[in-house]
Amino acid sequence: MSLSQALASRLEALESRIAYQEHWLDTLDEAVASQERRLAQLERINSLMQEKLRDQQRALQDSEMAAPSPQDEVPPHY
């Protein structure tokens, strides 16, 4: 094997490795972008759920304040 053939073989192997690495970089980049979109969606859902929970807690507190407590009721024998 001559020097030029050995260099050509090494160059071909390096080019093959670079192409493989570029493919995996593209795949990983796509996966990260997908996870970023999913995370943003989950954060929006989380915010909405927290807001609904606060609304429900407020409504529960309001209904508890509006309803008479047992201490406020007059016993039936009066």
Side-chain angles (χ1 to χ4, degrees):
M1 182 181 271
S2 70
L3 180 61
S4 64
Q5 288 175 334
L7 287 174
S9 177
R10 287 182 66 193
L11 181 60
E12 185 178 320
L14 287 172
E15 287 175 340
S16 176
R17 287 178 66 189
I18 288 173
Y20 182 74
Q21 288 176 353
E22 285 178 346
H23 168 72
W24 276 108
L25 275 174
D26 290 342
T27 302
L28 289 173
D29 186 45
E30 185 178 322
V32 168
S34 174
Q35 288 177 348
E36 186 176 343
R37 286 189 300 272
R38 181 69 176 146
L39 179 61
Q41 180 185 22
L42 290 172
E43 286 174 339
R44 282 192 303 272
I45 290 170
N46 185 32
S47 294
L48 289 172
M49 291 178 73
Q50 286 179 353
E51 185 177 330
K52 284 185 176 187
L53 184 59
R54 280 192 297 269
D55 290 345
Q56 288 178 349
Q57 286 174 337
R58 268 190 237 115
L60 181 61
Q61 288 173 350
D62 291 346
S63 69
E64 287 175 353
M65 291 173 62
S69 68
Q71 294 88 3
D72 295 336
E73 292 185 20
V74 175
H77 62 280
Y78 278 108

